[in-house]
Amino acid sequence: MTAVPPLPLLDLDADWQATVQAWTRSAGRLHVHGDGVNADVRVERCAAGRLRDSYPVGSHDMELRVCGEPLAEILRTLADAVTKADPQCRRVVYAAPEGDLERVAAAESAGFRYVVDVDLADEQLSLLVAEPDRVTTTDMDLGHVPET
């Protein structure tokens, strides 16, 4: 089992306010509101949540579940907040219901990219991820082993 680091508190942009409804070591519920935005959000370490067995999970990966609009703006803001709060996070994951092309398109416009469809015990999901540049940048000098 992957050791799960504590979930950091998220600091949103000045235009947004978040009210913590519940917070534990691995998951939190927030009510996010601001200029025309009103959403309920669940933030969870993937290694401790419903996605833990659905892909090769990193200990710092976080899933965002959003109930509210505009989805793209909310996802973009939350992904930025996660990246700032946990610099070791390699993947911010958004799981759309499989076949929900509107939600997939909204996530993609927020900077997420589609990765894979997964089957959980009670639902099928399309996983989309937002990753920092350090994860996706490729050194084209294949004869050089990068230092870690």
Side-chain angles (χ1 to χ4, degrees):
M1 178 172 194
T2 304
V4 180
L7 191 67
L9 292 176
L10 304 181
D11 185 22
L12 302 181
D13 292 344
D15 297 338
W16 299 68
Q17 293 149 2
T19 305
V20 175
Q21 296 175 327
W23 207 264
T24 68
R25 180 175 170 78
S26 61
R29 283 187 304 115
L30 303 167
H31 181 75
V32 176
H33 49 98
D35 188 28
V37 174
N38 199 20
D40 290 314
V41 175
R42 180 173 173 87
V43 182
E44 185 170 36
R45 290 285 189 196
C46 294
R50 67 182 180 159
L51 300 178
R52 71 180 155 273
D53 297 323
S54 64
Y55 75 96
V57 175
S59 63
H60 287 264
D61 292 0
M62 282 196 235
E63 179 187 8
L64 300 175
R65 291 194 236 178
V66 177
C67 181
E69 296 294 333
L71 181 60
E73 187 176 350
I74 296 166
L75 284 174
R76 186 178 305 107
T77 298
L78 290 169
D80 289 346
V82 166
T83 302
K84 288 176 191 169
D86 185 357
Q88 293 182 43
C89 180
R90 294 178 55 86
R91 281 179 216 93
V92 179
V93 180
Y94 175 72
E98 187 177 19
D100 190 334
L101 300 181
E102 281 186 38
R103 288 186 174 276
V104 168
E108 288 176 337
S109 73
F112 285 70
R113 67 178 174 82
Y114 168 80
V115 177
V116 68
D117 289 336
V118 298
D119 291 329
L120 301 183
D122 57 350
E123 60 189 328
Q124 291 78 40
L125 300 170
S126 295
L127 299 187
L128 295 100
V129 299
E131 298 167 308
D133 290 340
R134 67 178 170 77
V135 173
T136 58
T137 302
T138 303
D139 183 357
M140 294 313 295
D141 183 3
L142 300 177
H144 174 262
V145 177
E147 297 180 30
T148 55

mmCIF file of all heavy atoms in Angstrom, residues 74-124:
data_model
loop_
_atom_site.group_PDB
_atom_site.id
_atom_site.type_symbol
_atom_site.label_atom_id
_atom_site.label_comp_id
_atom_site.label_asym_id
_atom_site.label_seq_id
_atom_site.Cartn_x
_atom_site.Cartn_y
_atom_site.Cartn_z
ATOM 1 N N ILE A 74 -13.641 26.450 -12.501
ATOM 2 C CA ILE A 74 -13.438 25.869 -11.173
ATOM 3 C C ILE A 74 -12.262 24.886 -11.207
ATOM 4 O O ILE A 74 -11.378 24.923 -10.347
ATOM 5 C CB ILE A 74 -14.718 25.184 -10.669
ATOM 6 C CG1 ILE A 74 -15.837 26.213 -10.489
ATOM 7 C CG2 ILE A 74 -14.460 24.433 -9.366
ATOM 8 C CD1 ILE A 74 -17.217 25.609 -10.312
ATOM 9 N N LEU A 75 -12.238 24.006 -12.208
ATOM 10 C CA LEU A 75 -11.150 23.029 -12.310
ATOM 11 C C LEU A 75 -9.798 23.712 -12.481
ATOM 12 O O LEU A 75 -8.812 23.313 -11.857
ATOM 13 C CB LEU A 75 -11.395 22.063 -13.472
ATOM 14 C CG LEU A 75 -12.443 20.985 -13.247
ATOM 15 C CD1 LEU A 75 -12.683 20.197 -14.527
ATOM 16 C CD2 LEU A 75 -12.025 20.050 -12.112
ATOM 17 N N ARG A 76 -9.732 24.727 -13.327
ATOM 18 C CA ARG A 76 -8.472 25.445 -13.552
ATOM 19 C C ARG A 76 -7.973 26.065 -12.248
ATOM 20 O O ARG A 76 -6.801 25.933 -11.883
ATOM 21 C CB ARG A 76 -8.668 26.529 -14.611
ATOM 22 C CG ARG A 76 -7.390 27.234 -15.020
ATOM 23 C CD ARG A 76 -7.619 28.268 -16.123
ATOM 24 N NE ARG A 76 -8.262 27.706 -17.302
ATOM 25 C CZ ARG A 76 -9.546 27.937 -17.653
ATOM 26 N NH1 ARG A 76 -10.305 28.728 -16.919
ATOM 27 N NH2 ARG A 76 -10.052 27.397 -18.739
ATOM 28 N N THR A 77 -8.860 26.727 -11.525
ATOM 29 C CA THR A 77 -8.482 27.377 -10.270
ATOM 30 C C THR A 77 -8.034 26.355 -9.227
ATOM 31 O O THR A 77 -7.025 26.548 -8.547
ATOM 32 C CB THR A 77 -9.660 28.209 -9.729
ATOM 33 O OG1 THR A 77 -9.962 29.223 -10.689
ATOM 34 C CG2 THR A 77 -9.327 28.849 -8.401
ATOM 35 N N LEU A 78 -8.784 25.260 -9.103
ATOM 36 C CA LEU A 78 -8.432 24.238 -8.114
ATOM 37 C C LEU A 78 -7.137 23.522 -8.472
ATOM 38 O O LEU A 78 -6.317 23.243 -7.595
ATOM 39 C CB LEU A 78 -9.568 23.232 -7.964
ATOM 40 C CG LEU A 78 -10.824 23.773 -7.285
ATOM 41 C CD1 LEU A 78 -11.970 22.782 -7.431
ATOM 42 C CD2 LEU A 78 -10.568 24.077 -5.826
ATOM 43 N N ALA A 79 -6.929 23.227 -9.751
ATOM 44 C CA ALA A 79 -5.685 22.563 -10.164
ATOM 45 C C ALA A 79 -4.482 23.451 -9.851
ATOM 46 O O ALA A 79 -3.450 22.965 -9.363
ATOM 47 C CB ALA A 79 -5.730 22.211 -11.647
ATOM 48 N N ASP A 80 -4.606 24.745 -10.099
ATOM 49 C CA ASP A 80 -3.528 25.680 -9.759
ATOM 50 C C ASP A 80 -3.281 25.694 -8.256
ATOM 51 O O ASP A 80 -2.132 25.700 -7.802
ATOM 52 C CB ASP A 80 -3.860 27.090 -10.241
ATOM 53 C CG ASP A 80 -3.787 27.229 -11.750
ATOM 54 O OD1 ASP A 80 -3.228 26.337 -12.420
ATOM 55 O OD2 ASP A 80 -4.316 28.245 -12.258
ATOM 56 N N ALA A 81 -4.352 25.691 -7.465
ATOM 57 C CA ALA A 81 -4.218 25.712 -6.000
ATOM 58 C C ALA A 81 -3.556 24.439 -5.499
ATOM 59 O O ALA A 81 -2.710 24.492 -4.587
ATOM 60 C CB ALA A 81 -5.590 25.895 -5.349
ATOM 61 N N VAL A 82 -3.892 23.295 -6.079
ATOM 62 C CA VAL A 82 -3.274 22.024 -5.677
ATOM 63 C C VAL A 82 -1.783 22.047 -5.990
ATOM 64 O O VAL A 82 -0.952 21.668 -5.160
ATOM 65 C CB VAL A 82 -3.963 20.825 -6.380
ATOM 66 C CG1 VAL A 82 -3.128 19.554 -6.234
ATOM 67 C CG2 VAL A 82 -5.353 20.610 -5.820
ATOM 68 N N THR A 83 -1.435 22.505 -7.194
ATOM 69 C CA THR A 83 -0.029 22.557 -7.600
ATOM 70 C C THR A 83 0.790 23.455 -6.680
ATOM 71 O O THR A 83 1.926 23.127 -6.334
ATOM 72 C CB THR A 83 0.075 23.045 -9.059
ATOM 73 O OG1 THR A 83 -0.685 22.154 -9.887
ATOM 74 C CG2 THR A 83 1.499 23.061 -9.538
ATOM 75 N N LYS A 84 0.209 24.576 -6.256
ATOM 76 C CA LYS A 84 0.912 25.481 -5.338
ATOM 77 C C LYS A 84 1.004 24.890 -3.941
ATOM 78 O O LYS A 84 2.025 25.019 -3.268
ATOM 79 C CB LYS A 84 0.196 26.828 -5.277
ATOM 80 C CG LYS A 84 0.350 27.648 -6.518
ATOM 81 C CD LYS A 84 -0.471 28.926 -6.437
ATOM 82 C CE LYS A 84 -0.536 29.608 -7.777
ATOM 83 N NZ LYS A 84 -1.529 30.683 -7.799
ATOM 84 N N ALA A 85 -0.068 24.242 -3.478
ATOM 85 C CA ALA A 85 -0.102 23.711 -2.112
ATOM 86 C C ALA A 85 0.756 22.461 -1.947
ATOM 87 O O ALA A 85 1.267 22.196 -0.869
ATOM 88 C CB ALA A 85 -1.547 23.399 -1.700
ATOM 89 N N ASP A 86 0.905 21.670 -3.014
ATOM 90 C CA ASP A 86 1.672 20.429 -2.940
ATOM 91 C C ASP A 86 2.565 20.308 -4.171
ATOM 92 O O ASP A 86 2.187 19.702 -5.175
ATOM 93 C CB ASP A 86 0.737 19.222 -2.858
ATOM 94 C CG ASP A 86 1.489 17.914 -2.650
ATOM 95 O OD1 ASP A 86 2.737 17.918 -2.632
ATOM 96 O OD2 ASP A 86 0.827 16.874 -2.515
ATOM 97 N N PRO A 87 3.760 20.898 -4.124
ATOM 98 C CA PRO A 87 4.665 20.872 -5.274
ATOM 99 C C PRO A 87 5.068 19.457 -5.707
ATOM 100 O O PRO A 87 5.525 19.266 -6.822
ATOM 101 C CB PRO A 87 5.888 21.656 -4.800
ATOM 102 C CG PRO A 87 5.438 22.443 -3.631
ATOM 103 C CD PRO A 87 4.299 21.684 -3.022
ATOM 104 N N GLN A 88 4.888 18.471 -4.846
ATOM 105 C CA GLN A 88 5.224 17.094 -5.208
ATOM 106 C C GLN A 88 4.086 16.377 -5.940
ATOM 107 O O GLN A 88 4.252 15.250 -6.390
ATOM 108 C CB GLN A 88 5.609 16.306 -3.963
ATOM 109 C CG GLN A 88 6.906 16.802 -3.343
ATOM 110 C CD GLN A 88 7.276 15.971 -2.145
ATOM 111 O OE1 GLN A 88 7.169 14.750 -2.154
ATOM 112 N NE2 GLN A 88 7.725 16.642 -1.094
ATOM 113 N N CYS A 89 2.936 17.026 -6.067
ATOM 114 C CA CYS A 89 1.803 16.425 -6.770
ATOM 115 C C CYS A 89 2.135 16.321 -8.253
ATOM 116 O O CYS A 89 2.419 17.318 -8.903
ATOM 117 C CB CYS A 89 0.538 17.257 -6.561
ATOM 118 S SG CYS A 89 -0.908 16.570 -7.403
ATOM 119 N N ARG A 90 2.099 15.096 -8.782
ATOM 120 C CA ARG A 90 2.401 14.859 -10.196
ATOM 121 C C ARG A 90 1.140 14.875 -11.060
ATOM 122 O O ARG A 90 1.212 15.137 -12.245
ATOM 123 C CB ARG A 90 3.119 13.523 -10.361
ATOM 124 C CG ARG A 90 4.495 13.498 -9.727
ATOM 125 C CD ARG A 90 5.166 12.147 -9.876
ATOM 126 N NE ARG A 90 5.253 11.671 -11.246
ATOM 127 C CZ ARG A 90 6.231 11.969 -12.101
ATOM 128 N NH1 ARG A 90 7.212 12.760 -11.713
ATOM 129 N NH2 ARG A 90 6.225 11.480 -13.324
ATOM 130 N N ARG A 91 -0.016 14.560 -10.458
ATOM 131 C CA ARG A 91 -1.257 14.493 -11.228
ATOM 132 C C ARG A 91 -2.427 15.031 -10.418
ATOM 133 O O ARG A 91 -2.661 14.576 -9.303
ATOM 134 C CB ARG A 91 -1.592 13.045 -11.589
ATOM 135 C CG ARG A 91 -0.846 12.481 -12.724
ATOM 136 C CD ARG A 91 -1.261 11.024 -12.962
ATOM 137 N NE ARG A 91 -0.104 10.274 -13.390
ATOM 138 C CZ ARG A 91 0.712 9.595 -12.579
ATOM 139 N NH1 ARG A 91 0.481 9.526 -11.294
ATOM 140 N NH2 ARG A 91 1.750 8.978 -13.062
ATOM 141 N N VAL A 92 -3.152 15.957 -11.011
ATOM 142 C CA VAL A 92 -4.454 16.363 -10.495
ATOM 143 C C VAL A 92 -5.445 15.671 -11.419
ATOM 144 O O VAL A 92 -5.391 15.837 -12.640
ATOM 145 C CB VAL A 92 -4.641 17.889 -10.512
ATOM 146 C CG1 VAL A 92 -6.022 18.251 -9.978
ATOM 147 C CG2 VAL A 92 -3.547 18.572 -9.704
ATOM 148 N N VAL A 93 -6.332 14.867 -10.850
ATOM 149 C CA VAL A 93 -7.216 14.014 -11.641
ATOM 150 C C VAL A 93 -8.659 14.497 -11.528
ATOM 151 O O VAL A 93 -9.123 14.820 -10.439
ATOM 152 C CB VAL A 93 -7.133 12.545 -11.141
ATOM 153 C CG1 VAL A 93 -8.047 11.641 -11.958
ATOM 154 C CG2 VAL A 93 -5.698 12.036 -11.164
ATOM 155 N N TYR A 94 -9.324 14.532 -12.676
ATOM 156 C CA TYR A 94 -10.759 14.781 -12.712
ATOM 157 C C TYR A 94 -11.390 13.583 -13.406
ATOM 158 O O TYR A 94 -10.966 13.194 -14.495
ATOM 159 C CB TYR A 94 -11.097 16.076 -13.460
ATOM 160 C CG TYR A 94 -12.577 16.271 -13.610
ATOM 161 C CD1 TYR A 94 -13.362 16.605 -12.509
ATOM 162 C CD2 TYR A 94 -13.210 16.088 -14.828
ATOM 163 C CE1 TYR A 94 -14.736 16.761 -12.626
ATOM 164 C CE2 TYR A 94 -14.575 16.248 -14.959
ATOM 165 C CZ TYR A 94 -15.333 16.574 -13.850
ATOM 166 O OH TYR A 94 -16.689 16.721 -13.962
ATOM 167 N N ALA A 95 -12.387 12.977 -12.779
ATOM 168 C CA ALA A 95 -13.061 11.806 -13.331
ATOM 169 C C ALA A 95 -14.463 12.189 -13.774
ATOM 170 O O ALA A 95 -15.323 12.482 -12.953
ATOM 171 C CB ALA A 95 -13.113 10.691 -12.287
ATOM 172 N N ALA A 96 -14.664 12.183 -15.077
ATOM 173 C CA ALA A 96 -15.984 12.473 -15.646
ATOM 174 C C ALA A 96 -16.718 11.162 -15.883
ATOM 175 O O ALA A 96 -16.070 10.140 -16.166
ATOM 176 C CB ALA A 96 -15.827 13.215 -16.966
ATOM 177 N N PRO A 97 -18.032 11.166 -15.772
ATOM 178 C CA PRO A 97 -18.765 9.947 -16.140
ATOM 179 C C PRO A 97 -18.430 9.585 -17.592
ATOM 180 O O PRO A 97 -18.402 10.457 -18.464
ATOM 181 C CB PRO A 97 -20.233 10.350 -15.991
ATOM 182 C CG PRO A 97 -20.214 11.509 -15.038
ATOM 183 C CD PRO A 97 -18.923 12.231 -15.311
ATOM 184 N N GLU A 98 -18.132 8.313 -17.831
ATOM 185 C CA GLU A 98 -17.771 7.879 -19.182
ATOM 186 C C GLU A 98 -18.878 8.273 -20.162
ATOM 187 O O GLU A 98 -20.055 8.065 -19.904
ATOM 188 C CB GLU A 98 -17.564 6.365 -19.198
ATOM 189 C CG GLU A 98 -17.034 5.838 -20.506
ATOM 190 C CD GLU A 98 -16.761 4.352 -20.466
ATOM 191 O OE1 GLU A 98 -17.302 3.650 -19.583
ATOM 192 O OE2 GLU A 98 -16.009 3.890 -21.323
ATOM 193 N N GLY A 99 -18.486 8.887 -21.267
ATOM 194 C CA GLY A 99 -19.453 9.301 -22.277
ATOM 195 C C GLY A 99 -20.008 10.705 -22.082
ATOM 196 O O GLY A 99 -20.737 11.197 -22.940
ATOM 197 N N ASP A 100 -19.675 11.375 -20.974
ATOM 198 C CA ASP A 100 -20.162 12.734 -20.726
ATOM 199 C C ASP A 100 -19.222 13.717 -21.431
ATOM 200 O O ASP A 100 -18.277 14.244 -20.835
ATOM 201 C CB ASP A 100 -20.233 13.019 -19.231
ATOM 202 C CG ASP A 100 -20.947 14.323 -18.912
ATOM 203 O OD1 ASP A 100 -20.954 15.231 -19.773
ATOM 204 O OD2 ASP A 100 -21.494 14.431 -17.797
ATOM 205 N N LEU A 101 -19.485 13.939 -22.709
ATOM 206 C CA LEU A 101 -18.586 14.740 -23.542
ATOM 207 C C LEU A 101 -18.529 16.201 -23.115
ATOM 208 O O LEU A 101 -17.505 16.857 -23.299
ATOM 209 C CB LEU A 101 -18.998 14.622 -25.007
ATOM 210 C CG LEU A 101 -18.970 13.194 -25.571
ATOM 211 C CD1 LEU A 101 -19.369 13.196 -27.033
ATOM 212 C CD2 LEU A 101 -17.611 12.550 -25.363
ATOM 213 N N GLU A 102 -19.602 16.723 -22.521
ATOM 214 C CA GLU A 102 -19.581 18.117 -22.036
ATOM 215 C C GLU A 102 -18.585 18.289 -20.901
ATOM 216 O O GLU A 102 -17.828 19.254 -20.873
ATOM 217 C CB GLU A 102 -20.978 18.544 -21.579
ATOM 218 C CG GLU A 102 -21.903 18.907 -22.700
ATOM 219 C CD GLU A 102 -23.221 19.453 -22.189
ATOM 220 O OE1 GLU A 102 -23.226 20.204 -21.184
ATOM 221 O OE2 GLU A 102 -24.255 19.136 -22.801
ATOM 222 N N ARG A 103 -18.596 17.369 -19.950
ATOM 223 C CA ARG A 103 -17.664 17.466 -18.822
ATOM 224 C C ARG A 103 -16.225 17.230 -19.280
ATOM 225 O O ARG A 103 -15.304 17.896 -18.801
ATOM 226 C CB ARG A 103 -18.042 16.494 -17.717
ATOM 227 C CG ARG A 103 -19.302 16.909 -16.975
ATOM 228 C CD ARG A 103 -19.551 15.983 -15.789
ATOM 229 N NE ARG A 103 -20.670 16.458 -15.016
ATOM 230 C CZ ARG A 103 -20.595 17.403 -14.063
ATOM 231 N NH1 ARG A 103 -19.453 17.950 -13.776
ATOM 232 N NH2 ARG A 103 -21.661 17.780 -13.407
ATOM 233 N N VAL A 104 -16.034 16.301 -20.186
ATOM 234 C CA VAL A 104 -14.690 16.048 -20.718
ATOM 235 C C VAL A 104 -14.184 17.307 -21.426
ATOM 236 O O VAL A 104 -13.045 17.731 -21.211
ATOM 237 C CB VAL A 104 -14.682 14.820 -21.661
ATOM 238 C CG1 VAL A 104 -13.372 14.726 -22.431
ATOM 239 C CG2 VAL A 104 -14.939 13.546 -20.870
ATOM 240 N N ALA A 105 -15.017 17.923 -22.251
ATOM 241 C CA ALA A 105 -14.620 19.139 -22.965
ATOM 242 C C ALA A 105 -14.316 20.277 -21.996
ATOM 243 O O ALA A 105 -13.351 21.027 -22.188
ATOM 244 C CB ALA A 105 -15.717 19.557 -23.948
ATOM 245 N N ALA A 106 -15.108 20.412 -20.941
ATOM 246 C CA ALA A 106 -14.856 21.455 -19.940
ATOM 247 C C ALA A 106 -13.514 21.221 -19.248
ATOM 248 O O ALA A 106 -12.737 22.153 -19.054
ATOM 249 C CB ALA A 106 -15.987 21.490 -18.911
ATOM 250 N N ALA A 107 -13.227 19.973 -18.885
ATOM 251 C CA ALA A 107 -11.950 19.661 -18.237
ATOM 252 C C ALA A 107 -10.788 19.924 -19.194
ATOM 253 O O ALA A 107 -9.757 20.471 -18.790
ATOM 254 C CB ALA A 107 -11.948 18.215 -17.751
ATOM 255 N N GLU A 108 -10.952 19.553 -20.449
ATOM 256 C CA GLU A 108 -9.877 19.790 -21.422
ATOM 257 C C GLU A 108 -9.634 21.280 -21.617
ATOM 258 O O GLU A 108 -8.491 21.716 -21.738
ATOM 259 C CB GLU A 108 -10.205 19.105 -22.748
ATOM 260 C CG GLU A 108 -10.072 17.603 -22.664
ATOM 261 C CD GLU A 108 -10.479 16.870 -23.929
ATOM 262 O OE1 GLU A 108 -11.262 17.414 -24.738
ATOM 263 O OE2 GLU A 108 -10.016 15.724 -24.094
ATOM 264 N N SER A 109 -10.692 22.085 -21.603
ATOM 265 C CA SER A 109 -10.504 23.537 -21.748
ATOM 266 C C SER A 109 -9.866 24.147 -20.509
ATOM 267 O O SER A 109 -9.327 25.245 -20.564
ATOM 268 C CB SER A 109 -11.824 24.232 -22.087
ATOM 269 O OG SER A 109 -12.670 24.270 -20.972
ATOM 270 N N ALA A 110 -9.875 23.411 -19.388
ATOM 271 C CA ALA A 110 -9.223 23.861 -18.159
ATOM 272 C C ALA A 110 -7.769 23.397 -18.084
ATOM 273 O O ALA A 110 -7.100 23.604 -17.085
ATOM 274 C CB ALA A 110 -9.990 23.349 -16.943
ATOM 275 N N GLY A 111 -7.290 22.721 -19.140
ATOM 276 C CA GLY A 111 -5.899 22.280 -19.157
ATOM 277 C C GLY A 111 -5.692 20.821 -18.797
ATOM 278 O O GLY A 111 -4.564 20.354 -18.697
ATOM 279 N N PHE A 112 -6.773 20.076 -18.597
ATOM 280 C CA PHE A 112 -6.663 18.651 -18.322
ATOM 281 C C PHE A 112 -6.589 17.915 -19.654
ATOM 282 O O PHE A 112 -7.060 18.407 -20.669
ATOM 283 C CB PHE A 112 -7.890 18.156 -17.535
ATOM 284 C CG PHE A 112 -7.890 18.559 -16.092
ATOM 285 C CD1 PHE A 112 -8.088 19.882 -15.727
ATOM 286 C CD2 PHE A 112 -7.714 17.621 -15.086
ATOM 287 C CE1 PHE A 112 -8.097 20.266 -14.389
ATOM 288 C CE2 PHE A 112 -7.732 17.990 -13.752
ATOM 289 C CZ PHE A 112 -7.917 19.316 -13.404
ATOM 290 N N ARG A 113 -6.000 16.720 -19.643
ATOM 291 C CA ARG A 113 -5.986 15.893 -20.851
ATOM 292 C C ARG A 113 -6.562 14.531 -20.523
ATOM 293 O O ARG A 113 -6.341 13.990 -19.449
ATOM 294 C CB ARG A 113 -4.593 15.783 -21.450
ATOM 295 C CG ARG A 113 -3.598 15.027 -20.627
ATOM 296 C CD ARG A 113 -2.233 14.927 -21.334
ATOM 297 N NE ARG A 113 -1.281 14.314 -20.448
ATOM 298 C CZ ARG A 113 -1.162 13.002 -20.258
ATOM 299 N NH1 ARG A 113 -1.913 12.170 -20.919
ATOM 300 N NH2 ARG A 113 -0.268 12.529 -19.415
ATOM 301 N N TYR A 114 -7.313 14.004 -21.488
ATOM 302 C CA TYR A 114 -7.912 12.679 -21.323
ATOM 303 C C TYR A 114 -6.796 11.638 -21.293
ATOM 304 O O TYR A 114 -5.859 11.680 -22.075
ATOM 305 C CB TYR A 114 -8.878 12.384 -22.479
ATOM 306 C CG TYR A 114 -9.304 10.940 -22.515
ATOM 307 C CD1 TYR A 114 -10.294 10.477 -21.665
ATOM 308 C CD2 TYR A 114 -8.676 10.042 -23.356
ATOM 309 C CE1 TYR A 114 -10.667 9.144 -21.674
ATOM 310 C CE2 TYR A 114 -9.038 8.715 -23.376
ATOM 311 C CZ TYR A 114 -10.027 8.266 -22.527
ATOM 312 O OH TYR A 114 -10.380 6.945 -22.538
ATOM 313 N N VAL A 115 -6.927 10.655 -20.363
ATOM 314 C CA VAL A 115 -5.924 9.601 -20.255
ATOM 315 C C VAL A 115 -6.518 8.223 -20.519
ATOM 316 O O VAL A 115 -6.035 7.481 -21.365
ATOM 317 C CB VAL A 115 -5.246 9.627 -18.859
ATOM 318 C CG1 VAL A 115 -4.252 8.496 -18.723
ATOM 319 C CG2 VAL A 115 -4.572 10.952 -18.613
ATOM 320 N N VAL A 116 -7.580 7.856 -19.790
ATOM 321 C CA VAL A 116 -8.087 6.485 -19.886
ATOM 322 C C VAL A 116 -9.497 6.398 -19.310
ATOM 323 O O VAL A 116 -9.882 7.212 -18.467
ATOM 324 C CB VAL A 116 -7.136 5.515 -19.131
ATOM 325 C CG1 VAL A 116 -7.178 5.748 -17.627
ATOM 326 C CG2 VAL A 116 -7.415 4.058 -19.450
ATOM 327 N N ASP A 117 -10.257 5.418 -19.769
ATOM 328 C CA ASP A 117 -11.534 5.072 -19.144
ATOM 329 C C ASP A 117 -11.279 3.946 -18.154
ATOM 330 O O ASP A 117 -10.495 3.031 -18.439
ATOM 331 C CB ASP A 117 -12.551 4.596 -20.191
ATOM 332 C CG ASP A 117 -13.050 5.725 -21.077
ATOM 333 O OD1 ASP A 117 -13.006 6.893 -20.649
ATOM 334 O OD2 ASP A 117 -13.480 5.435 -22.205
ATOM 335 N N VAL A 118 -11.917 4.016 -16.997
ATOM 336 C CA VAL A 118 -11.756 2.976 -15.974
ATOM 337 C C VAL A 118 -13.119 2.509 -15.488
ATOM 338 O O VAL A 118 -14.094 3.249 -15.548
ATOM 339 C CB VAL A 118 -10.916 3.474 -14.768
ATOM 340 C CG1 VAL A 118 -9.505 3.843 -15.188
ATOM 341 C CG2 VAL A 118 -11.580 4.647 -14.071
ATOM 342 N N ASP A 119 -13.163 1.263 -15.044
ATOM 343 C CA ASP A 119 -14.376 0.697 -14.454
ATOM 344 C C ASP A 119 -14.168 0.563 -12.959
ATOM 345 O O ASP A 119 -13.246 -0.130 -12.525
ATOM 346 C CB ASP A 119 -14.676 -0.692 -15.033
ATOM 347 C CG ASP A 119 -15.102 -0.641 -16.485
ATOM 348 O OD1 ASP A 119 -15.711 0.365 -16.876
ATOM 349 O OD2 ASP A 119 -14.825 -1.605 -17.229
ATOM 350 N N LEU A 120 -15.007 1.219 -12.182
ATOM 351 C CA LEU A 120 -15.028 1.030 -10.737
ATOM 352 C C LEU A 120 -16.157 0.060 -10.427
ATOM 353 O O LEU A 120 -16.898 -0.349 -11.320
ATOM 354 C CB LEU A 120 -15.227 2.366 -10.023
ATOM 355 C CG LEU A 120 -14.178 3.444 -10.302
ATOM 356 C CD1 LEU A 120 -14.455 4.679 -9.464
ATOM 357 C CD2 LEU A 120 -12.767 2.950 -10.074
ATOM 358 N N ALA A 121 -16.322 -0.293 -9.189
ATOM 359 C CA ALA A 121 -17.348 -1.268 -8.819
ATOM 360 C C ALA A 121 -18.744 -0.838 -9.254
ATOM 361 O O ALA A 121 -19.541 -1.658 -9.690
ATOM 362 C CB ALA A 121 -17.327 -1.506 -7.312
ATOM 363 N N ASP A 122 -19.041 0.467 -9.178
ATOM 364 C CA ASP A 122 -20.404 0.920 -9.456
ATOM 365 C C ASP A 122 -20.523 1.991 -10.540
ATOM 366 O O ASP A 122 -21.596 2.556 -10.737
ATOM 367 C CB ASP A 122 -21.046 1.426 -8.165
ATOM 368 C CG ASP A 122 -20.234 2.534 -7.510
ATOM 369 O OD1 ASP A 122 -19.090 2.771 -7.941
ATOM 370 O OD2 ASP A 122 -20.743 3.163 -6.579
ATOM 371 N N GLU A 123 -19.424 2.305 -11.227
ATOM 372 C CA GLU A 123 -19.493 3.317 -12.276
ATOM 373 C C GLU A 123 -18.307 3.219 -13.233
ATOM 374 O O GLU A 123 -17.274 2.660 -12.900
ATOM 375 C CB GLU A 123 -19.569 4.724 -11.671
ATOM 376 C CG GLU A 123 -18.386 5.090 -10.798
ATOM 377 C CD GLU A 123 -18.590 6.399 -10.050
ATOM 378 O OE1 GLU A 123 -19.275 7.309 -10.572
ATOM 379 O OE2 GLU A 123 -18.058 6.517 -8.954
ATOM 380 N N GLN A 124 -18.504 3.779 -14.425
ATOM 381 C CA GLN A 124 -17.443 3.861 -15.412
ATOM 382 C C GLN A 124 -17.068 5.337 -15.549
ATOM 383 O O GLN A 124 -17.952 6.191 -15.676
ATOM 384 C CB GLN A 124 -17.905 3.313 -16.776
ATOM 385 C CG GLN A 124 -18.132 1.813 -16.784
ATOM 386 C CD GLN A 124 -19.451 1.420 -16.141
ATOM 387 O OE1 GLN A 124 -20.458 2.086 -16.327
ATOM 388 N NE2 GLN A 124 -19.436 0.373 -15.351
#
